[in-house]
Amino acid sequence: MAKVAKSLNEIKSFPKQTRIALRNCGLIDPSNIDEYIARDGYFALGDILKNKSPKDVVNEIKESGLRGRGGGGFPTGLKWELTAKEKSDRKYIICNADEGDPGAFMDRSILEGDPHSVLEAMAIAGYAIGANQGYVYVRIEYPRAIKRLKAAIKQAREYELLGENIFGSGFSFNIDLRLGAGAFVCGEETALIASIEGERGMSRNKPPYPAQKGLWGYPTCINNVETLANVSAIFNMGAKEFAKIGTENSKGTKVFALAGNINNIGLIEVPMGTTLREIVYDIGDGIDGGKAFKAVQTGGPSGGVITEEHLDTPIDYESLKEIGSMMGSGGMIILDEDDDMVKISKFYLDFTQDESCGKCTPCRIGTKRLYETLEKLIDMNGTPEDLEMLEYLAKSVQKTSLCGLGQSAPNPVLSTLKYFRDEYEAYANRTKRTAYFIEEDVCIGCTKCAQVCPVDCIEGEVKKPHVIDPEECIACGACYDVCPVDAILKP
Amino acid sequence: MKSLEELKKIKDKTKKKTNTEKDTSLTRILVGMSTCGISAGAKPVFDEFNTLIKDKELKDISVTSVGCLGECSIEPMVEVYQNDKRYTYCEVNKEKAQKIFDEHIVNGNVVEDYLIGQYRK
Ligand SMILES: Cc1cc2nc3c(=O)[nH]c(=O)nc-3n(C[C@H](O)[C@H](O)[C@H](O)COP(=O)(O)O)c2cc1C
Ligand code: SF4
Ligand code: SF4
Ligand code: SF4
């Protein structure tokens, strides 16, 4: 027998991963600041406050090539520079820990496993842009993350790593938490700001951008949890070293939450440029139950599907956009041959129409109509005209919505339409089979299927072809599993 | 914190207690206790190790709750660090924790059946 792997770093997929944002997760006690310090925590902040100007800090982040991990991929150094440039006696830095994408838990893991990496980065960002106050906006549905953040802030204050005159540099910085109720739209930066201000979480027009007029009208820099978790690591390893990881325009690593029908469900961190095939087959160890791969859904309700033909695409912001999906914040759902793409679309539209803040008409009414059209198709009440309308409406909502929620809500529909149009047509033309079906010329009449069918809807004589009554079939799949000659087709 | 020297002192002091330093006589038991680990049942495992250590009055051994290592589907995960050796145990429950404690921690015999190699290639 081969030697069994003793530890995590001995398993086959381990060398494919590079842990920067997750460097401390699972290795240190998040409730003990000393353990973070033992792994070089707060040394970057100390060195910066002692030896570097705010401009140096901005330039190093620019040089690292770090881009926003919250979905948009905006260059972080540029965002800091834009906020630094604004003249104002008050500025803010906000950490976006809303993480509303269903199925994603990258940010939660960082906050629970290594909260100080985020706090240190916020202080560094504060110094770079000239802010003395930071807020972490975190959803109340993350009680453990909130608890650990609170404890971490308290310890950092006790050590005077937050507060007045940090490292005797004259720089003062404080961080407080702001709790959100868990609305998807509150992850959008202008809605998030409105929520902190005590208003309803609704998006606002841009411009002005938060960098110019953000929280309470002051220049504000908003960064995602994972983006921030990279910051002190960049200073510790050097911007040049960091920039060696990844592709031409996407540097460093990305954390993904692997979910759906894949053997190794979990959290991974891979260098940009890793292919989807490596993620699905090497790290994820392929599809559960030996089924055929169908697609990967990335970017959650704002993203789209990636099919077999694009599995060798290297992960980076631009290449994923080119094939009609997006990096998103890092949710990755693996779909297999049995997944119905029209139903997947409906799932996401159900989510977005519910989460729409209702401020603008295209999104408020458009997403609802998109959802209803999908429902109509799935209920076999649709027509080819409905399909045309679906596509037209999806494009209109995309073009005319006020904020990113509405603008991206039709993506799951449009991308599945692009790659799996036949599935939509089967519904629209009402040729979609909803029941299992026996191929007459393959069936040997062994009667096995009839014996297991829980609703007794399979008829046939011994050694003669059997038939399933499609009206009665509940699509349980029991017959499919027992047929010795694979005569039964799935719906 | 006024200086980097002060920070370094904390680092050096803590290094001895963490796995950042290899040649230490300390055995560290790490239990993954993020939301994923706890919902998979990590809390009773964590408590069990603490009780066992107290009962046996063992020294040079620590139990620490840590964040998630990413392998959410085979949690609760327990890692044992001894010098430069690292062992990852998966799907640990109270009974398995007792066995790991008796056989590995006390007697020095690694419990192969629960090692990550049984769960991951
Ligand atoms: C509907 C919607 C939801 C969003 N949700 C999040 C979120 O949960 N977390 C996040 O960091 N960014 C989210 N964003 C992106 C933010 O608006 C913003 O771009 C990001 O926080 C900027 O940080 P980054 O540059 O570090 O990525 C969302 C955007 C939209 C349009
Ligand atoms: S697009 Fe949707 S979420 Fe955004 S402002 Fe309009 S209604 Fe609100
Ligand atoms: S799928 Fe289930 S209900 Fe349908 S025919 Fe087969 S066994 Fe009967
Ligand atoms: S199990 Fe297959 S071969 Fe046997 S009767 Fe049913 S369909 Fe025909």
Side-chain angles (χ1 to χ4, degrees), chain A residues 30-318:
Chain A
S31 64
N32 183 350
I33 189 171
D34 289 358
E35 295 205 5
Y36 178 67
I37 293 171
R39 288 179 58 93
D40 295 322
Y42 289 107
F43 280 86
L45 177 66
D47 180 52
I48 285 168
L49 294 184
K50 291 267 178 210
N51 306 316
K52 291 180 181 167
S53 72
K55 218 180 170 137
D56 293 339
V57 175
V58 168
N59 286 339
E60 251 184 271
I61 291 295
K62 276 171 102 175
E63 195 185 348
S64 75
L66 179 66
R67 292 170 66 176
R69 304 290 194 243
F74 192 84
T76 308
L78 183 59
K79 193 183 268 187
W80 289 14
E81 184 171 58
L82 291 171
T83 325
K85 243 177 32 199
E86 293 292 319
K87 294 214 163 30
S88 169
D89 55 347
R90 260 212 256 173
K91 291 183 190 177
Y92 294 104
I93 163 104
I94 296 175
C95 168
N96 188 344
D98 191 56
E99 193 160 66
D101 176 353
F105 52 92
M106 302 77 53
D107 295 348
R108 189 192 69 205
S109 273
I110 293 173
L111 294 172
E112 290 184 351
D114 192 18
H116 285 287
S117 68
V118 174
L119 303 183
E120 183 184 4
M122 289 176 74
I124 293 173
Y127 177 71
I129 68 169
N132 301 111
Q133 176 66 44
Y135 292 105
V136 184
Y137 185 84
V138 53
R139 54 176 50 219
I140 198 116
E141 289 156 346
Y142 280 0
R144 202 158 281 115
I146 293 169
K147 202 170 138 205
R148 293 191 186 164
L149 272 170
K150 277 189 181 157
I153 292 173
K154 186 162 170 271
Q155 288 180 354
R157 281 193 188 139
E158 279 162 11
Y159 274 13
E160 295 177 37
L161 290 162
L162 290 174
E164 305 298 311
N165 194 18
I166 305 169
F167 282 104
S169 64
F171 173 67
S172 302
F173 190 74
N174 271 304
I175 297 177
D176 289 296
L177 299 187
R178 286 295 176 267
L179 306 185
F184 182 53
V185 72
C186 287
E188 196 282 332
E189 47 193 22
T190 60
L192 187 158
I193 286 172
S195 171
I196 294 185
E197 289 172 353
E199 304 278 322
R200 270 185 77 168
M202 282 180 143
S203 303
R204 296 169 176 173
N205 280 323
K206 289 193 275 192
Y209 290 93
Q212 297 139 6
K213 271 191 168 42
L215 188 59
W216 320 111
Y218 295 101
T220 302
C221 173
I222 301 184
N223 278 126
N224 162 263
V225 171
E226 187 189 331
T227 313
L228 291 168
N230 278 290
V231 167
S232 70
I234 289 174
F235 286 97
N236 287 338
M237 72 197 287
K240 278 204 183 70
E241 276 307 304
F242 184 84
K244 280 186 194 156
I245 307 165
T247 64
E248 176 79 38
N249 293 313
S250 303
K251 300 299 187 190
T253 59
K254 180 75 194 83
V255 181
F256 290 102
L258 286 189
N261 199 359
I262 184 140
N263 282 314
N264 300 352
I265 286 174
L267 208 64
I268 62 163
E269 181 171 356
V270 291
M272 298 277 190
T274 304
T275 66
L276 282 161
R277 193 180 297 282
E278 290 172 286
I279 293 180
V280 174
Y281 289 100
D282 296 342
I283 301 176
D285 195 29
I287 311 285
D288 192 16
K291 287 191 198 166
F293 169 88
K294 187 166 189 179
V296 189
Q297 216 280 348
T298 64
S302 314
V305 291
I306 299 167
T307 54
E308 177 80 38
E309 62 180 305
H310 292 126
L311 269 187
D312 291 308
T313 309
I315 300 270
D316 77 12
Y317 292 98
E318 278 70 29

Side-chain angles (χ1 to χ4, degrees), chain A residues 6 40 112 148 159 267, chain B residues 1 11 33 35 70 88 121:
Chain A
K6 285 193 287 297
D40 295 322
E112 290 184 351
R148 293 191 186 164
Y159 274 13
L267 208 64
Chain B
M1 201 66 59
K11 176 176 170 175
M33 297 256 275
T35 294
T88 312
K121 279 179 208 150

